[in-house]
Amino acid sequence: MRAEQRSGSLMAAPYAAFLLVFAAYPIAFALVLVFLQWDLVTTPSFAGLDNVRLLANDGRFWRAVANTFVFLSIHLPLQIATALVLALALNRPLVLRSFWRASFFLPVVISGAVVAILWSNLYATDVGLINRLLVRIGLTPVPWLTDPSTAMPAIAAMVTWKNVGFYVIIYLAGLQYIPRSCQEAIEMEGATAWQRFRHLTLPMLLPQTILVVTLSTINGFQLFIEPYVMTGGGPLRRTYSIVLYLYTNAFSYQKMGYAATIGVALALIIGAVVFIQRRVIGKEETL
Amino acid sequence: MPSVHFDHVSKRFGATTVVEDFNLEVADGELLVLVGGSGSGKTTILRMLAGLEEVTEGMIRIDQRDVTALPPRERDVAMVFQDYGLYPHMTVRENLSLGLRLRKVARKEIDRRVAWAGDMLRLEPLLDRKPKQLSGGQQQRVAMGRAMVREPLVFLFDEPLSNLDAGLRAQMRIEIGGLQRRLKTTTVYVTHDQVEAMTLGDRIVVLADGRIQQVGKPIELYRAPVNRFVAGFIGTPPMNFVDGQLLREDGSTVFAAEGVRVQLPHEIADGTGSSEVVTLGIRPEDLTVDSGDSTDAPADSIPGRVVLVERLGGTSHVHFDAGPHRLLASVSNDRLPEVGDSITVRVRAERVHLFGGDGRKT
């Protein structure tokens, strides 16, 4: 038994070390930084609750929080709907099914910066492919990334496209868990395709939906690369996300203490939102 | 009235023929059992009737209506699945009522039918539970209730008892039989278990390799199997088979094989040729064990040596070797031989079966 314990600890050691160095230590360091003022160069000085007080009254921070919520309010429903529809389509007998599955997953593994640059070109007002298609069918071009009202929705659509393959896989796994006899039973009971989806498929995918909502919420709050590359937070700061604001404070203004405070606040917000989500949609989960 | 007709129904998956030229009429109110081993096509036939499997050739009619091309929901049949197919996220009440709700049946009528099924199947205390909170037998009853409340033209059962333990299986078998007799709903029941088939079926269809071997009342199949397959499939313990030859001796016909000689009565021997190669079939209960030596043995007896005695309580199974043949006698417990004993086994020659080289009854 003791030998077993020792070999177990030994095998867990590399991961434990990784966790200590890259998770536990940074978290602890960030928590300390909240009470410091530090520009990365000079010696840190104790700042008490100055950073927290500043954050509470910082309009730009709250603007970024609002922006991020706008992003999530578009991204989450879009992400769930597209992932679900694609999973349902890819779960049917389909010509070239493996090819389609791989195609939808491909964007997940492409670097976020590359995708952002690619989509900047697609979204370009005058020469972008999307606007050219719009003009072709007789519509007026849309200044996707330069109009304050369309910039964040455009980014949300792009992020949805990039991540959809990952959530499709989660839903596909869930779909394969629905017993065939249940599907046949409800079919024999007279359910139409919509009724089968409404009364069997959707409720039985609840655990997957909770997972998709949780993961895409956590990911969504960390929105950074896309506005950083595509809009720089504009126009009119409408795409300024929390993490972009954190990054700017840390590496443009060298305010490490304040950046850490934003980071801790972000972690608390994510925790609170995920908690509320689970309370609301998780209460039905008794599968 | 809702009868079911299969007219020349075939099913092929690619080059493989699973069901071949299947013809059958299920009478109104009848409980018909399809029985056969795995790969016999019994489940495929049921699924074609349900509409879950396409028919390659032929026609299926329910209540004289051609349903061959109709989707399951337009056939008005209800099925009880092997793994029950209950909706795990719904309570028992919701499971029972979903089909009616989907068909927009009035609320009052739904409540009435759910109460009726709940009462009949003793489900009332379970109505607000979810399937995973129920035992196997309770889930089985919910699955039956879900089929009942629909009041369909035909009930389909796909091996409904195979996930239950032996005791519960016997109990549920009785419940299903009783329920069907009370409801008088035309029922097609698929099983691989011949005991289920014998005890439940008004008639039994024995299938092998996608073809009907025999259709008949349980006792007909038992007493007069048309071929060796049916003879071996129906009855526990299974029939003994001995390959041998027919000989004419002094105007009578004798079955002869190494270690086994049985003088056949005229009604069995009639119509057979001399020196014909045949298989003799003897039910275990048609063998009587006379312990002791076989010096003054009568003509219809076989000498043997006991190799195993299985004591089952009421009766016992005596396994013995007669020449190169291992045979089984089902005997009462009065005078059981011991392993290694020499015995004389008397054959009730009027009850034996003869099968020709092609397996058919001669």
Side-chain angles (χ1 to χ4, degrees):
Chain A
M1 194 62 197
R2 284 197 72 83
E4 205 174 285
Q5 273 174 351
R6 205 176 311 129
S7 66
S9 312
L10 210 62
M11 280 189 260
Y15 186 70
F18 181 89
L19 205 68
L20 273 175
V21 175
F22 293 105
Y25 172 70
I27 289 171
F29 189 49
L31 288 173
V32 172
L33 272 180
V34 168
F35 305 101
L36 298 179
Q37 240 163 20
W38 186 36
D39 59 6
L40 276 174
V41 184
T42 56
T43 318
S45 60
F46 184 69
L49 289 174
D50 282 359
N51 286 327
V52 180
R53 242 175 264 130
L54 182 61
L55 186 81
N57 299 305
D58 185 351
R60 292 189 166 190
F61 170 72
W62 293 110
R63 173 85 239 187
V65 172
N67 287 340
T68 308
F69 272 98
V70 168
F71 168 79
L72 283 174
S73 67
I74 302 164
H75 171 62
L76 273 188
L78 204 59
Q79 188 76 85
I80 294 165
T82 50
L84 194 53
V85 168
L86 281 176
L88 288 171
L90 292 175
N91 198 41
R92 306 173 134 257
L94 204 68
V95 190
L96 299 175
R97 183 153 77 167
S98 306
F99 168 77
W100 294 117
R101 287 185 178 187
S103 307
F104 287 111
F105 191 73
L106 204 58
V108 177
V109 292
I110 300 176
S111 140
V114 171
V115 171
I117 292 167
L118 176 76
W119 277 76
S120 296
N121 289 321
L122 289 175
Y123 277 140
T125 309
D126 297 323
V127 293
L129 186 66
I130 294 170
N131 275 343
R132 277 202 262 168
L133 286 173
L134 289 181
V135 170
R136 176 84 48 95
I137 59 169
L139 298 171
T140 45
V142 179
W144 295 107
L145 295 175
T146 46
D147 184 324
S149 65
T150 56
M152 197 53 119
I155 287 178
M158 187 205 95
V159 173
T160 304
W161 174 84
K162 181 176 181 341
N163 294 336
V164 74
F166 179 71
Y167 300 116
V168 163
I169 286 184
I170 293 176
Y171 272 129
L172 275 174
L175 284 171
Q176 267 142 45
Y177 252 104
I178 302 177
R180 199 170 95 161
S181 58
C182 285
Q183 301 178 35
E184 292 178 344
I186 196 167
E187 201 181 338
M188 295 194 66
E189 293 207 280
T192 59
W194 165 249
Q195 286 173 328
R196 292 202 292 272
F197 175 75
R198 161 82 185 72
H199 292 284
L200 183 68
T201 313
L202 194 59
M204 288 206 64
L205 287 176
L206 186 65
Q208 283 73 30
T209 302
I210 291 172
L211 190 63
V212 171
V213 168
T214 307
L215 289 179
S216 48
T217 301
I218 293 170
N219 276 331
F221 270 115
Q222 294 174 26
L223 179 70
F224 167 65
I225 276 209
E226 293 81 3
Y228 180 73
V229 171
M230 297 168 81
T231 59
L236 299 176
R237 300 189 74 87
R238 285 295 182 87
T239 61
Y240 228 104
S241 68
I242 302 176
V243 178
L244 182 56
Y245 190 55
L246 182 158
Y247 174 88
T248 312
N249 272 287
F251 300 106
S252 301
Y253 309 150
Q254 275 80 42
K255 290 165 45 177
M256 302 313 284
Y258 191 52
T261 312
I262 296 170
V264 172
L266 175 62
L268 292 175
I269 292 172
I270 293 176
V273 169
V274 170
F275 178 77
I276 293 166
Q277 283 173 343
R278 294 220 152 199
R279 270 298 167 90
V280 173
I281 55 175
K283 67 169 192 274
E284 289 282 319
E285 190 198 15
T286 49
L287 291 178
Chain B
M1 294 305 265
S3 56
V4 174
H5 291 260
F6 290 87
D7 299 324
H8 302 287
V9 171
S10 294
K11 176 67 182 177
R12 284 186 281 279
F13 291 106
T16 315
T17 301
V18 188
V19 176
E20 176 120 36
D21 195 27
F22 185 79
N23 289 287
L24 185 72
E25 180 188 341
V26 188
D28 172 42
E30 181 180 27
L31 197 167
L32 183 103
V33 178
L34 298 176
V35 66
S38 60
S40 62
K42 56 190 190 300
T43 296
T44 306
I45 291 167
L46 192 77
R47 291 173 59 82
M48 284 194 288
L49 176 54
L52 297 170
E53 208 77 70
E54 269 179 44
V55 175
T56 313
E57 250 170 51
M59 197 207 308
I60 298 176
R61 285 176 291 151
I62 298 174
D63 204 8
Q64 296 309 330
R65 187 173 64 126
D66 181 2
V67 298
T68 317
L70 292 183
R73 63 191 155 92
E74 288 172 35
R75 296 191 180 201
D76 201 6
V77 295
M79 184 146 156
V80 176
F81 292 85
Q82 182 171 0
D83 62 356
Y84 319 132
L86 299 179
Y87 313 122
H89 57 289
M90 294 184 193
T91 62
V92 170
R93 188 190 305 278
E94 289 164 339
N95 262 285
L96 292 176
S97 62
L98 180 69
L100 302 174
R101 285 184 279 139
L102 293 177
R103 283 163 195 261
K104 306 261 187 291
V105 173
R107 184 65 191 263
K108 251 182 142 172
E109 177 64 10
I110 294 178
D111 290 344
R112 186 190 70 75
R113 292 203 208 171
V114 169
W116 165 70
D119 176 51
M120 217 159 185
L121 295 164
R122 305 190 309 282
L123 292 171
E124 293 107 334
L126 311 174
L127 284 175
D128 294 314
R129 293 207 203 156
K130 297 233 168 126
K132 69 168 183 190
Q133 296 168 298
L134 306 178
S135 68
Q138 290 168 334
Q139 291 185 26
Q140 170 68 69
R141 293 212 301 271
V142 176
M144 288 201 294
R146 187 172 66 180
M148 276 166 56
V149 294
R150 292 249 322 274
E151 298 181 355
L153 293 177
V154 183
F155 280 143
L156 309 178
F157 287 87
D158 183 14
E159 307 225 15
L161 305 182
S162 53
N163 285 1
L164 301 176
D165 61 54
L168 206 51
R169 201 180 306 156
Q171 185 197 328
M172 290 307 296
R173 199 171 67 208
I174 293 165
E175 285 197 29
I176 291 177
L179 197 67
Q180 200 274 339
R181 277 192 297 277
R182 261 184 291 170
L183 298 175
K184 298 223 181 309
T185 306
T186 311
T187 301
V188 180
Y189 187 107
V190 161
T191 180
H192 63 273
D193 181 349
Q194 58 91 21
V195 175
E196 255 172 59
M198 292 293 283
T199 50
L200 273 176
D202 293 324
R203 280 191 307 155
I204 298 176
V205 178
V206 181
L207 290 159
D209 300 325
R211 290 169 177 275
I212 293 181
Q213 302 298 308
Q214 190 170 1
V215 184
K217 295 199 168 105
I219 201 68
E220 289 169 10
L221 301 194
Y222 187 78
R223 291 217 177 119
V226 296
N227 61 30
R228 189 176 160 162
F229 179 84
V230 176
F233 196 83
I234 300 290
T236 40
M239 189 183 275
N240 296 294
F241 292 110
V242 182
D243 294 331
Q245 232 179 355
L246 292 181
L247 305 173
R248 303 276 183 219
E249 289 177 356
D250 310 330
S252 63
T253 305
V254 172
F255 170 87
E258 192 187 341
V260 178
R261 275 179 72 88
V262 178
Q263 192 170 352
L264 301 173
H266 290 299
E267 59 270 25
I268 291 175
D270 278 355
T272 57
S274 184
S275 308
E276 201 178 330
V277 177
V278 292
T279 302
L280 180 74
I282 316 165
R283 295 251 177 236
E285 64 270 28
D286 295 332
L287 292 172
T288 326
V289 175
D290 294 340
S291 56
D293 59 73
S294 53
T295 43
D296 57 348
D300 57 353
S301 64
I302 306 169
R305 181 172 293 276
V306 177
V307 289
L308 177 69
V309 179
E310 292 178 295
R311 290 160 212 274
L312 304 178
T315 56
S316 293
H317 295 166
V318 176
H319 300 254
F320 63 96
D321 282 341
H325 309 286
R326 173 71 50 88
L327 302 178
L328 166 61
S330 180
V331 298
S332 69
N333 281 343
D334 308 341
R335 285 157 55 204
L336 281 179
E338 297 293 324
V339 172
D341 283 359
S342 286
I343 52 170
T344 304
V345 180
R346 206 180 315 210
V347 181
R348 292 173 75 178
E350 73 281 9
R351 294 273 197 97
V352 301
H353 305 265
L354 278 186
F355 304 99
D358 57 358
R360 288 174 192 231
K361 187 145 190 172
T362 59

